[in-house]
């Protein structure tokens, strides 16, 4: 039975990864999860300078989901390279670093530094405002997105380049195509969907930032649809994300067109969710006589 | 005991109209939790509620873990309906717990409402040396009074409406105590507080005015409970810290209100 998959130059032992921001830097979950078993670890978004993050409350629960507005809190790339990279490198798994910037130059500098440091993959979080373009999100403007990816691409030599698409667009196929044409090795989707919740007694928003990103089972059908649409538009591998809680969900994403999957919110609900998903995929393959997992990708019958 | 397991409910009984005591079977040799630490408790087989809920260690031993909880919203509302033999998931012990006081120091424990759940095991551990200030809105909100009486050196209860103990907030009562016991050296006292945020803020004010040191157990909306998601931020003099990891117990002067 073959569970290995390829994302660009990267060969993963299985298709299961952790979604950025939900698994810390791996270390936090190492008490529960044998990190060696994971296809890849995608770490919390990193910026050049440390970021403080938003005031609390930063999350609230909604029906079958949660809203978060962490505000991209992180320790900055310097500290990451010093303390977190060596830790993850002790494990036999691939390391993908999610990055964020406020200008194209910041993305270029970050990706260059991480590429030099030898990380396996770089995932561009493009759901960030471009301060030079009046705060418009990189990921919601095709021109800006194309320019960002092309510039970063020229600087990244060894790491696999993944663009994490925002669901906040009217036609995901066009953005997937931009990513492919601009040189991205793969795309991952979806990031969280903007949402809001109000406490009716206090009349205050339930999270301090008012608007937060919705994640969890509530967004899964939207994510499956977007993965499917992207799959019809591009040839590069797709990493499916959004409400994946168990192996059935993971397989659903693969049938829609995903080559790999990442579990996010699921880690909070079940700290060993990633391992359960891997085991579940194995049993599913056995039961259904699937010799190679790659068969599943895009295996939807219509 | 692994830090993550599925535990069977041995008992889940009301202690008053909106509080329950949950008794879980904790198989194997448990990693002994310390007072002030907490667990994430999850209702299995549903996505709504989705996240686990944090509850402080109330009591442990004899292969059992006890939680005292207030029925607040959806999660605790469902938890209350669960019966003996049903299962919940349990992640913990998590967080840091209360540092114990040095010798010859009188610990003053200040509990507001369900804050008693977290201070109860501390009171038990300090056996007979602690003075406990325990306040609630009304007399029937105050829990486990008989057990507490036998545990601490002195139990001073208060209620907002005067239906039990002294009338006023726990802070009013603490202030009166400190004024009328001015022979006590503040350097010989140590505060331990758990309760709603406004109470903790008031405790901090008292602590800084009188120059008393101590600890407070903070709250924050949690998702992971293990330090990974950065949901549970609390503002400290050294920037945001994680309630679930660096806390929930912080030195009083560390917190920025
Ligand atoms: C470290 C810690 C220890 C705690 N110990 C206890 C205890 O021993 N006994 C007890 O009764 N309660 C305790 N609480 C509070 C308890 O976790 C909440 O009352 C509970 O999560 C409410 O869930 P709900 O679904 O009933 O309420 P809802 O209001 O429907 O909850 C919605 C969401 O908000 C979160 N939330 C709501 N209130 C709180 C709160 N006060 N603190 C943190 N998150 C909250 C919930 O976890 C959930 O994600 C503790 C909280 C923390 C952070
Ligand atoms: C608490 C939290 C923090 C997140 N932080 C990041 C981040 O730093 N960078 C990023 O690209 N996505 C981040 N995400 C989005 C997730 O990686 C994922 O795309 C999204 O949550 C949907 O997947 P899920 O439903 O499985 O959680 C975060 C999500 C959550 C819940
Ligand atoms: S709850 Fe996730 S970091 Fe504290």
């Amino acid at each position: 039975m073959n569970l290995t998959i390829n994302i660009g130059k990267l060969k993963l032992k299985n298709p299961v990864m952790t979604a950025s921001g939900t698994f810390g830097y791996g270390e936090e979950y190492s008490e529960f999860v044998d990190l060696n078993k994971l296809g890849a670890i995608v770490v919390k978004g990193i910026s050049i300078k440390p970021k403080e993050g938003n005031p609390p409350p930063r999350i609230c629960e909604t029906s079958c989901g949660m809203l978060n507005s962490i505000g991209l809190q992180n320790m900055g790339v310097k500290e990451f390279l010093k303390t977190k990279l060596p830790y993850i490198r002790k494990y036999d798994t691939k390391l993908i670093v999610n990055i964020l910037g406020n200008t194209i130059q910041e993305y270029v500098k970050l990706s260059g530094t991480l590429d030099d440091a030898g990380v396996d993959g770089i995932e561009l979080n493009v759901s960030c405002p471009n301060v030079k373009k009046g705060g418009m999100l990189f990921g919601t403007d095709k021109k800006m997105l194309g320019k960002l990816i092309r510039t970063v691409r020229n600087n990244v030599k060894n790491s696999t380049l993944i663009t994490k698409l925002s669901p906040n667009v009217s036609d995901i196929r066009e953005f997937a195509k931009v990513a492919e044409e601009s040189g991205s090795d793969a795309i991952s989707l979806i990031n969280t969907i903007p949402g809001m919740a109000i406490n009716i007694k206090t009349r205050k928003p339930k999270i301090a930032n008012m608007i937060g990103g919705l994640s969890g089972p509530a967004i899964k059908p939207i994510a499956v649809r977007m993965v499917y649409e992207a799959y019809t538009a591009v040839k590069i591998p797709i990493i499916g994300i959004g409400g994946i809680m168990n192996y059935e969900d993971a397989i659903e994403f693969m049938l829609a067109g995903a080559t790999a999957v990442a579990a996010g919110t699921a880690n909070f609900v079940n700290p060993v969710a990633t391992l359960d998903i891997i085991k579940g995929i194995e049993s599913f393959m056995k039961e259904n006589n699937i010799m190679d997992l790659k068969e599943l990708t895009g295996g939807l019958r219509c | 005991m692994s830090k993550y397991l599925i535990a069977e409910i041995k008992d889940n009984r009301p202690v008053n109209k909106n509080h329950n005591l949950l008794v879980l079977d904790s198989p194997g040799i448990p990693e002994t939790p310390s007072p002030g630490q907490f667990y994430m408790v999850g209702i299995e087989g549903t996505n709504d509620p989705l996240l686990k809920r944090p509850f402080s260690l109330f009591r442990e031993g004899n292969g059992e873990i006890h939680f005292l909880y207030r029925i607040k919203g959806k999660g605790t509302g469902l938890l209350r309906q669960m019966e003996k033999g049903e299962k919940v998931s349990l992640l913990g012990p998590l967080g840091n717990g209360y540092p114990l006081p040095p010798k010859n120091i009188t610990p003053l424990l200040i509990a507001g409402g369900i804050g008693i759940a977290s201070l109860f095991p501390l009171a038990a551990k300090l056996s007979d040396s602690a003075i406990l200030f325990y306040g609630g809105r009304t007399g029937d909100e105050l829990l486990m009074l008989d057990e507490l009486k036998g545990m601490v050196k002195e139990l001073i209860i208060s209620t907002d409406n005067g239906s039990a103990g002294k009338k006023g907030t726990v802070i009013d009562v603490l202030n009166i105590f400190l004024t009328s016991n001015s022979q006590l050296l503040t350097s010989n006292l140590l505060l331990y507080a758990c309760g709603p945020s406004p109470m903790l803020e008031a405790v901090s004010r008292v602590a800084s005015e009188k120059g008393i040191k101590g600890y407070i157990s903070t709250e924050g909306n949690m998702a992971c409970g293990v330090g990974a998601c950065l949901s549970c931020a609390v503002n400290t003099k050294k920037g945001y810290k994680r309630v679930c990891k660096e806390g929930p117990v912080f030195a009083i002067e560390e917190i920025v209100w």
Side-chain angles (χ1 to χ4, degrees):
Chain A
M1 228 165 49
N2 182 15
L3 268 84
T4 64
I5 53 106
N6 299 307
I7 304 281
K9 278 174 292 196
L10 272 190
K11 185 170 181 155
L12 309 194
K13 63 176 87 169
N14 66 59
V16 181
M17 319 185 183
T18 60
S20 175
T22 64
F23 207 70
Y25 300 104
E27 200 168 351
E28 293 84 351
Y29 275 101
S30 58
E31 264 183 278
F32 313 101
V33 176
D34 178 359
L35 304 181
N36 295 304
K37 297 222 162 97
L38 299 175
I41 296 176
V42 185
V43 294
K44 174 75 188 158
I46 298 279
S47 50
I48 293 183
K49 295 245 168 69
K51 264 186 193 296
E52 196 179 36
N54 286 336
R58 290 178 170 183
I59 63 151
C60 74
E61 191 169 315
T62 56
S63 298
C64 301
M66 61 179 278
L67 288 172
N68 90 78
S69 176
I70 308 298
L72 303 168
Q73 180 182 340
N74 78 89
M75 59 181 58
V77 70
K78 211 165 143 196
E79 184 66 17
F80 171 78
L81 291 178
K82 203 169 107 197
T83 59
K84 302 297 170 183
L85 182 75
Y87 177 83
I88 301 183
R89 278 304 185 211
K90 291 191 293 193
Y91 293 91
D92 173 26
T93 184
K94 303 293 182 202
L95 167 63
I96 297 172
V97 182
N98 181 277
I99 63 167
L100 46 111
N102 288 320
T103 60
I104 292 188
Q105 278 324 305
E106 283 185 18
Y107 280 99
V108 169
K109 197 168 158 207
L110 265 171
S111 52
T113 309
L114 290 163
D115 188 40
D116 291 343
V119 304
D120 300 301
I122 294 170
E123 182 180 56
L124 302 177
N125 177 359
V126 295
S127 301
C128 304
N130 183 346
V131 293
K132 296 231 166 103
K133 287 271 151 71
M136 190 198 269
L137 305 186
F138 283 102
T140 54
D141 181 276
K142 276 182 275 180
K143 255 199 179 147
M144 215 153 70
L145 182 66
K147 188 170 171 204
L148 171 67
I149 299 172
R150 280 192 304 276
T151 324
V152 169
R153 174 77 278 174
N154 288 335
N155 262 275
V156 172
K157 291 172 200 76
N158 300 308
S159 308
T160 291
L161 185 63
I162 303 162
T163 304
K164 183 163 182 178
L165 297 180
S166 162
N168 222 5
V169 296
S170 53
D171 190 346
I172 197 77
R173 289 170 293 195
E174 294 181 13
F175 288 81
K177 275 189 206 148
V178 168
E180 181 173 53
E181 285 158 9
S182 312
S184 198
D185 297 312
I187 51 176
S188 54
L189 64 155
I190 59 177
N191 211 321
T192 54
I193 300 170
M196 191 167 154
I198 301 167
N199 179 325
I200 60 165
K201 282 192 197 132
T202 60
R203 301 192 175 194
K204 286 192 175 156
K206 286 194 180 172
I207 55 177
N209 190 49
M210 290 232 282
I211 293 172
L214 183 63
S215 66
I219 69 170
K220 197 188 80 174
I222 300 174
V224 172
R225 185 261 297 173
M226 289 196 155
V227 165
Y228 166 72
E229 288 179 339
Y231 182 71
T232 61
V234 297
K235 296 265 181 312
I236 51 175
I238 297 171
I239 301 161
I241 316 173
I244 297 176
M245 304 302 283
N246 49 43
Y247 83 91
E248 288 99 328
D249 295 340
I251 288 173
E252 192 177 343
F253 272 84
M254 288 186 212
L255 291 174
T259 295
V261 291
T265 303
N267 296 300
F268 310 152
V269 178
N270 169 12
V272 297
T274 44
L275 301 184
D276 287 351
I277 293 171
I278 297 168
K279 275 186 249 159
I281 292 176
E282 279 171 345
S283 336
F284 180 85
M285 287 172 72
K286 251 184 229 145
E287 279 161 31
N288 294 281
N289 281 320
I290 296 165
M291 297 312 293
D292 193 336
L293 188 69
K294 296 180 194 76
E295 273 177 48
L296 286 179
T297 297
L300 169 75
R301 294 184 188 136
C302 351
Chain B
M1 184 180 83
S2 146
K3 265 199 161 187
Y4 181 58
L5 54 89
I6 303 295
E8 190 175 305
I9 297 176
K10 277 189 157 174
D11 196 5
N12 184 18
R13 61 171 177 272
V15 290
N16 73 3
K17 67 175 191 308
N18 54 356
H19 291 82
N20 266 35
L21 182 72
L22 177 69
V23 178
L24 299 181
D25 195 24
S26 70
I29 305 140
E31 177 178 331
T32 311
S34 322
Q37 284 193 297
F38 70 98
Y39 291 79
M40 299 292 283
V41 177
I43 298 175
E44 294 296 283
T46 172
N47 281 332
D48 195 13
L50 183 68
L51 302 170
K52 297 184 188 311
R53 303 298 196 243
F55 297 110
S56 305
L57 167 75
F58 177 65
R59 191 158 47 195
E60 55 92 26
N62 301 325
E64 292 177 351
I65 295 185
H66 296 203
F67 298 102
L68 185 64
Y69 67 97
R70 186 165 82 89
I71 288 83
K72 182 173 182 251
K74 202 184 249 175
T76 47
L78 274 174
L79 188 59
R80 148 197 254 173
Q81 292 165 22
M82 294 185 74
E83 290 176 6
K84 186 175 164 29
E86 290 190 88
K87 298 197 161 112
V88 291
S89 57
L90 188 65
L91 179 64
L94 304 167
N96 60 356
Y98 297 105
L100 293 178
K103 269 199 192 120
N104 305 322
I105 293 281
T106 304
L108 303 183
L109 277 47
I110 301 136
I114 190 60
I116 194 65
S118 147
L119 287 169
F120 185 95
L122 181 67
K125 193 155 191 168
L126 296 174
S127 66
D128 229 23
S129 68
I131 299 174
L132 171 62
F133 298 84
Y134 180 18
R137 263 171 295 179
T138 60
D140 45 308
E141 293 258 297
L142 299 172
L143 313 171
M144 306 285 165
L145 290 180
D146 290 341
E147 284 187 62
L148 286 167
K149 261 177 220 147
M151 226 181 241
V152 292
K153 186 167 154 197
E154 197 177 344
L155 171 64
I156 304 171
I157 60 173
S158 56
T159 49
D160 295 353
N161 66 359
S163 55
K166 303 202 160 76
K167 185 172 191 292
T169 68
V170 72
I171 303 297
D172 298 336
V173 177
L174 173 68
N175 270 322
I176 294 167
F177 174 89
L178 291 172
T179 318
S180 54
N181 289 279
S182 49
Q183 82 286 359
L184 289 173
L185 284 173
T186 52
S187 57
N188 285 340
L189 301 174
L190 205 54
L191 302 174
Y192 291 89
C194 184
S197 261
M199 183 202 100
L200 296 179
E201 189 175 349
V203 168
S204 307
R205 229 176 294 126
V206 174
S208 80
E209 279 164 19
K210 312 253 177 193
I212 312 174
K213 295 227 172 303
Y215 303 93
I216 53 179
S217 178
T218 54
E219 283 193 1
N221 285 4
M222 292 185 179
C224 72
V226 300
C229 70
L230 310 179
S231 295
C232 59
V234 56
N235 202 4
T236 74
K237 288 197 179 134
K238 291 191 183 139
Y240 288 122
K241 288 195 174 176
R242 298 165 295 184
V243 172
C244 71
K245 202 75 183 181
E246 286 84 33
V249 178
F250 291 92
I252 291 178
E253 68 275 9
E254 256 190 275
I255 302 294
V256 177
W257 293 98

